[in-house]
Amino acid sequence: MRPHIVVVDDDERIISMLRRSLAFEGYEVTTASNGAEGLKTLLTVDPDLIILDVMMPQIDGWEVCRRIRESGSAVPIMMLTAKDDVIDRVKGLDLGADDYLVKPFALEELLARARALLRRKSDKLDETSSHQLAFEDLILDMDAREAIRSGRRIELTSKEYDLLLLFMQNPRRVLTRDAIMEKIWGFDFSGESNVLEVYIAMLRQKVEEGGGKRIIQTVRGTGYVLRGEAG
C-alpha cells in the first residue's frame, strides 16, 4: 500500500506543486487549502504523514498541530513556515511537530525529509513488542507514552517521550548531540540553537521531581547518557 500524505496549505501554488511531485514519487496525496478544511479531512483520512503550513487564516498550523496531538494521534507532522526564528521552531516542535521546513524550500529537501519521517514511523512500528522499558527506578510505559518513577506517573509531551525512549533504549551509552538531533528531529538545527538543551532540562525537571536522583547525565563536549550517579 502506498504511503498516504496530507498536505494543508493556503497557497495554491504550493498545493499544486506538492500534489504533482509527491504523486510522482509514488505517494497517495490528499490536499486541504486551510486549517479548518485540513481538520475536517483528517476525520475521514488516516495519513502516514502530514505536511502542514503554519500561516493560514482562521485556524493556523500551530492550532491544527495542537488539536491533532490532543486527539492522541502520533502521525508525523512536517511544518512549513516563512518564519525562521528559534522561538517559532521551538513552539512548533513543542506542540508535537516532528520536522520544520522554512519557506522558500528546495523540493528535493522536502522529499528527503518526508522519506526520513516515513522511515522513522516504520521503525517505530517494528519496535520490540515489549510495552515497558526500565532503568533503575524509572519505567517507560510505551502504551500510555508516560514514565513512572517510584510509583509517580509522569506525563510527557510527544518530543519528551521520544527523547526519553531513545535514552531508555540505549542505557549507559553516550549519545552525541548530533545523533540525538538526527534521531529525534531528523535534521540539524543551527549551531547556536539550544533546542536540545531546553528539552533535556524539561525532561530532567519532570523525571527528578520529588527528589529523584539525576540519571540523564551530561557528557561535556559530547552529549548525554542515561546512567546513575555512580555510572
Side-chain angles (χ1 to χ4, degrees):
M1 184 179 297
R2 295 185 300 163
H4 191 162
I5 299 178
V6 168
V7 180
V8 185
D9 199 305
D10 64 339
D11 188 329
E12 182 55 38
R13 294 171 300 176
I14 290 179
I15 285 282
S16 179
M17 175 187 67
L18 293 183
R19 183 191 295 117
R20 292 194 309 269
S21 300
L22 292 169
F24 182 79
E25 293 292 320
Y27 302 116
E28 183 178 353
V29 184
T30 299
T31 63
S33 60
N34 57 64
E37 183 181 332
L39 289 171
K40 184 177 180 180
T41 297
L42 293 173
L43 293 176
T44 57
V45 172
D46 184 19
D48 298 289
L49 171 65
I50 299 172
I51 299 176
L52 177 63
D53 184 34
V54 170
M55 303 305 294
M56 294 184 291
Q58 299 180 17
I59 302 178
D60 63 27
W62 283 319
E63 177 64 14
V64 173
C65 182
R66 185 187 67 80
R67 294 190 191 184
I68 291 171
R69 292 299 182 238
E70 283 191 348
S71 74
S73 173
V75 60
I77 298 175
M78 181 194 307
M79 303 197 78
L80 305 178
T81 180
K83 295 186 176 182
D84 191 24
D85 294 335
V86 170
I87 190 171
D88 291 308
R89 280 182 280 172
V90 171
K91 180 177 181 179
L93 295 169
D94 200 35
L95 286 171
D98 298 275
D99 202 346
Y100 196 106
L101 190 57
V102 177
K103 296 179 180 179
F105 54 83
L107 178 60
E108 293 80 4
E109 181 179 8
L110 182 143
L111 294 174
R113 293 190 180 198
R115 289 192 294 269
L117 289 172
L118 290 168
R119 280 197 305 271
R120 289 206 297 278
K121 181 186 179 186
S122 178
D123 289 344
K124 287 182 180 180
L125 293 176
D126 292 338
E127 283 176 355
T128 176
S129 59
S130 175
H131 298 294
Q132 291 188 342
L133 294 172
F135 181 81
E136 296 190 354
D137 60 345
L138 179 65
I139 297 172
L140 186 65
D141 186 330
M142 292 186 284
D143 287 333
R145 294 177 67 86
E146 67 180 8
I148 305 168
R149 192 172 195 189
S150 301
R152 177 176 60 87
R153 292 193 172 271
I154 306 169
E155 294 185 3
L156 302 169
T157 66
S158 177
K159 277 293 177 287
E160 288 169 350
Y161 170 83
D162 290 343
L163 188 56
L164 184 56
L165 176 62
L166 179 61
F167 284 123
M168 297 287 279
Q169 290 174 327
N170 297 275
R172 300 184 179 85
R173 176 185 175 188
V174 176
L175 301 175
T176 67
R177 187 180 189 279
D178 289 345
I180 296 172
M181 296 295 291
E182 174 62 27
K183 182 65 176 179
I184 302 301
W185 283 278
F187 63 99
D188 292 328
F189 282 95
S190 57
E192 70 275 5
S193 172
N194 66 340
V195 171
L196 177 57
E197 288 71 22
V198 169
Y199 273 93
I200 291 289
M202 292 190 297
L203 185 57
R204 281 173 170 166
Q205 182 177 8
K206 290 185 176 183
V207 170
E208 297 169 13
E209 185 177 349
K213 68 178 181 179
R214 175 153 299 181
I215 57 175
I216 301 175
Q217 305 287 342
T218 300
V219 181
R220 294 194 180 280
T222 303
Y224 300 91
V225 60
L226 181 70
R227 66 184 178 208
E229 291 287 358

